[in-house]
Amino acid sequence: MPIRRPPSLTTLRRSARACRACDLWRPATQTVFGEGPEDAPIVIIGEQAGDKEDLEGRPFVGPAGHLLDVVLEDVGIDRSTVYVTNVVKHFKFELRGKRRLHKRANAAEVAACLQWLDRELARIRPRIVVCLGSLAAKVVLGSGFRLMQQRGEWVERGEGQWALATVHPAYVLRARIGARGEEEFARFRADLMKLRDPPGS
C-alpha cells in the first residue's frame, strides 16, 4: 500500500498557525513556517525563528538570512528554487529593556515542533537537505553527529536523499566581529559550494 503524503504546504502552514504544542506561541508574534516551492530539490533547515522573522512571518529574512542569500547566489543557487525553514517555528526570546534577545529553545520545545519539520520534509521529498547549525544537524542526522568535525560531509539519508551540515550563518556573522571573520566566511562558502556537485549528479 503506497505511503500517503502529508497535506499540501499551504494546508500545513495554515495548521501550524494554530499550533499550541508548547508555550512558545504565547509571547511570539506569529508562527514562522517554511517557504519555497513544493517540489524544491533542496531544503535548507535553520535552528529557530529570530526577531525579524517573528515580525515578518518569514524564515531567513534577518542578517543571517541576508548572508545566506549572498552565499547561495555566489555558488550559483537561486533561492527561489530552494525551500527554507527552521526546526523551531516560533521566536524564543528574553527581554532586555525594549530589546528581544534570542534564547535557545529547550529539548521539550524542539520535540513539540518537530511534527512540522517532519511533515515539510515528507511533503517535499527533497533530494538534498542542508542543515545550518548544530540543532538542525542533530535533529536531521542524529544526536551523535558532531558538526564541527563533520561539517561539509555528505551523509546519505536513504531513498536517494543526501544531507549536508554546516554552521549557521549567524555563527559566521559573529565570527566577523573578531579576527576569524574572513576565514569562517570562506569555510561556510566552501561547504555550500558542494551543493553544485551533489552525490549522484
Side-chain angles (χ1 to χ4, degrees):
M1 188 173 179
I3 299 174
R4 185 180 176 187
R5 290 182 75 187
S8 70
L9 293 176
T10 299
T11 300
L12 289 175
R13 186 175 292 108
R14 188 182 308 118
S15 298
R17 289 192 196 120
C19 184
R20 303 292 184 266
C22 74
D23 287 336
L24 290 185
W25 66 273
R26 295 181 185 277
T29 303
Q30 59 194 312
T31 302
V32 181
F33 204 72
E35 68 175 19
E38 196 146 322
D39 60 349
I42 300 174
V43 169
I44 296 178
I45 305 170
E47 300 196 322
Q48 63 189 66
D51 182 72
K52 192 166 184 182
E53 295 174 315
D54 171 73
L55 296 174
E56 295 192 22
R58 297 178 57 216
F60 285 97
V61 292
H66 176 68
L67 177 64
L68 176 63
D69 288 347
V70 168
V71 175
L72 286 177
E73 182 177 1
D74 192 35
V75 302
I77 295 174
D78 183 351
R79 173 160 163 170
S80 69
T81 68
V82 173
Y83 187 86
V84 293
T85 191
N86 285 300
V87 173
V88 179
K89 313 298 192 201
H90 284 113
F91 178 38
K92 183 175 183 178
F93 61 91
E94 60 182 35
L95 282 173
R96 293 276 181 86
K98 293 184 178 180
R99 295 182 64 203
R100 304 191 306 171
L101 299 182
H102 169 93
K103 189 173 181 181
R104 191 176 182 89
N106 62 38
E109 291 159 347
V110 171
C113 214
L114 283 183
Q115 59 175 312
W116 303 112
L117 179 61
D118 288 344
R119 292 173 189 173
E120 286 172 302
L121 290 174
R123 180 67 196 183
I124 299 168
R125 295 179 180 173
R127 183 177 165 216
I128 297 169
V129 176
V130 180
C131 304
L132 301 180
S134 60
L135 173 60
K138 288 181 183 298
V139 162
V140 173
L141 299 172
S143 59
F145 188 85
R146 297 292 177 261
L147 179 63
M148 301 314 281
Q149 287 76 42
Q150 297 172 267
R151 63 181 289 180
E153 297 178 4
W154 286 110
V155 179
E156 188 171 10
R157 296 192 72 220
E159 298 183 2
Q161 186 180 88
W162 291 82
L164 177 79
T166 185
V167 297
H168 195 281
Y171 175 88
V172 180
L173 289 176
R174 289 192 297 271
R176 281 185 160 180
I177 299 172
R180 302 180 357 266
E182 293 310 311
E183 175 189 349
E184 289 299 340
F185 179 83
R187 290 190 69 193
F188 182 64
R189 181 184 180 279
D191 288 340
L192 293 189
M193 183 65 77
K194 295 181 180 180
L195 296 176
R196 297 179 64 171
D197 188 26
S201 60

